[in-house]
C-alpha cells in the first residue's frame, strides 16, 4: 500500500488527477507499481478499467482533442518512452470549469500519470524524437462514436509548448512548427474539428 501519490483536482478542475508512483531504483535499474487498485480506492478513485491502449508517435505529432459521445471514457495516461505534453479540456456543461484546460508533461523520466475522467476532450503533442504512450480506459472504443474539437481553438487557448504559428480560423496544422522547425503533424480528421462553441457537451 501507499506506492502511489494522487494529487486531485489539479489546475482547479474537479476530477483531474496527477498520479506519481514510488520508484525504487538502484544500480540495476528501477521498479515501480504503475497501477494499484487498493491505493486508488484509498484516494477515492473507484474507476474500473476495461481496455489498455498504446501508441507510438514521432516528434511534432499532435493527437486530439478526442472524446466519445455516448460511451465516454475515463483515461489513465502515461508516457513509457520519450516525452509528451498531455492536455484535458472540460466539456461538462454543468461544470464550473467548463471550457477550461489543464496540461502536464509526461515522460519516461518523471513517470507521472494523468487521470482524465469522463466528460473531457483529451490530446497530446510529442516533444521528443519518438514517444510511446499508454493509457487505460474505463469503456471500450466504439467506432463511430468519436468526437473532437480543434486543438488550437482561441476560445480555449491551450498553451502547447514549443509550438509556433498563427491561427487562421481552422484546426489546420499548416504553418505551425515546433521551435526547432519540426512541422506539426495532425491527421486529416484532427484538422477538421470545430471549436468549443460547436463542440459536443456532456
Amino acid at each position: 500500500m501507499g506506492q502511489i501519490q494522487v494529487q486531485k483536482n489539479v489546475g482547479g478542475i474537479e476530477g483531474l488527477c496527477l498520479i506519481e508512483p514510488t520508484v525504487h531504483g538502484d544500480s540495476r535499474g528501477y521498479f515501480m507499481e504503475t497501477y494499484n487498485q487498493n491505493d486508488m480506492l484509498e484516494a477515492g478513485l473507484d474507476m474500473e478499467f476495461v481496455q489498455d491502449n498504446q501508441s507510438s508517435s514521432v516528434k511534432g505529432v499532435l493527437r486530439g482533442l478526442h472524446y466519445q459521445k455516448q460511451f465516454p471514457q475515463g483515461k489513465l495516461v502515461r508516457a513509457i518512452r520519450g516525452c509528451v505534453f498531455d492536455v484535458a479540456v472540460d466539456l461538462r456543461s454543468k461544470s464550473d470549469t467548463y471550457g477550461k484546460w489543464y496540461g502536464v508533461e509526461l515522460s519516461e523520466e518523471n513517470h507521472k500519470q494523468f487521470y482524465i475522467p469522463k466528460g473531457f476532450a483529451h490530446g497530446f503533442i510529442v516533444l521528443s524524437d519518438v514517444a510511446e504512450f499508454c493509457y487505460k480506459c474505463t469503456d471500450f472504443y466504439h467506432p463511430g462514436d468519436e468526437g473532437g474539437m480543434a486543438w488550437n481553438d482561441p476560445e480555449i487557448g491551450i498553451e502547447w509548448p514549443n509550438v509556433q504559428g498563427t491561427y487562421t480560423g481552422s484546426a489546420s496544422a499548416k504553418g505551425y512548427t515546433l521551435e526547432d522547425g519540426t512541422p506539426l503533424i495532425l491527421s486529416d480528421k484532427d484538422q477538421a474539428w470545430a471549436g468549443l462553441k460547436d463542440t459536443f457537451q456532456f
Side-chain angles (χ1 to χ4, degrees):
M1 294 290 290
Q3 293 298 298
I4 62 170
Q5 301 297 318
V6 180
Q7 182 182 352
K8 303 176 75 172
N9 305 328
V10 292
I13 302 177
E14 184 177 359
L16 290 182
C17 297
L18 191 60
I19 298 167
E20 297 189 59
T22 299
V23 181
H24 305 276
D26 58 27
S27 60
R28 301 168 299 166
Y30 70 86
F31 170 84
M32 64 180 178
E33 292 183 3
T34 60
Y35 178 75
N36 184 304
Q37 188 180 50
N38 288 331
D39 285 357
M40 289 291 192
L41 290 173
E42 191 173 296
L45 303 176
D46 61 356
M47 59 280 198
E48 179 181 353
F49 297 110
V50 298
Q51 181 174 316
D52 279 17
N53 299 331
Q54 182 168 335
S55 67
S56 177
S57 307
V58 298
K59 188 174 187 178
V61 166
L62 193 154
R63 298 183 184 270
L65 299 160
H66 301 152
Y67 53 85
Q68 289 192 161
K69 301 173 186 177
Q70 304 306 318
F71 301 93
Q73 298 170 307
K75 298 177 179 179
L76 179 62
V77 304
R78 62 191 177 108
I80 62 170
R81 179 186 179 193
C83 179
V84 307
F85 185 73
D86 199 78
V87 171
V89 180
D90 191 351
L91 296 182
R92 300 169 298 182
S93 60
K94 296 181 180 179
S95 170
D96 291 338
T97 53
Y98 172 76
K100 301 298 183 183
W101 68 276
Y102 179 80
V104 60
E105 188 174 291
L106 307 175
S107 73
E108 63 180 308
E109 285 84 15
N110 67 26
H111 303 295
K112 291 180 180 179
Q113 300 183 53
F114 189 29
Y115 179 65
I116 303 140
K118 299 175 182 178
F120 286 76
H122 168 254
F124 65 88
I125 186 173
V126 178
L127 303 177
S128 53
D129 288 339
V130 177
E132 292 185 29
F133 189 77
C134 293
Y135 51 109
K136 306 174 80 68
C137 301
T138 60
D139 204 341
F140 299 101
Y141 171 68
H142 291 265
D145 190 45
E146 187 178 51
M149 62 177 297
W151 65 277
N152 60 347
D153 180 13
E155 186 174 356
I156 302 296
I158 297 172
E159 296 174 5
W160 297 99
N162 303 331
V163 173
Q164 299 179 333
T166 302
Y167 180 68
T168 58
S170 76
S172 171
K174 186 177 181 180
Y176 285 95
T177 67
L178 298 185
E179 288 180 345
D180 64 0
T182 300
L184 209 60
I185 306 168
L186 280 81
S187 69
D188 291 343
K189 179 174 59 178
D190 286 346
Q191 295 185 78
W193 299 124
L196 180 66
K197 63 182 178 63
D198 297 311
T199 297
F200 181 86
Q201 297 180 0
F202 289 94

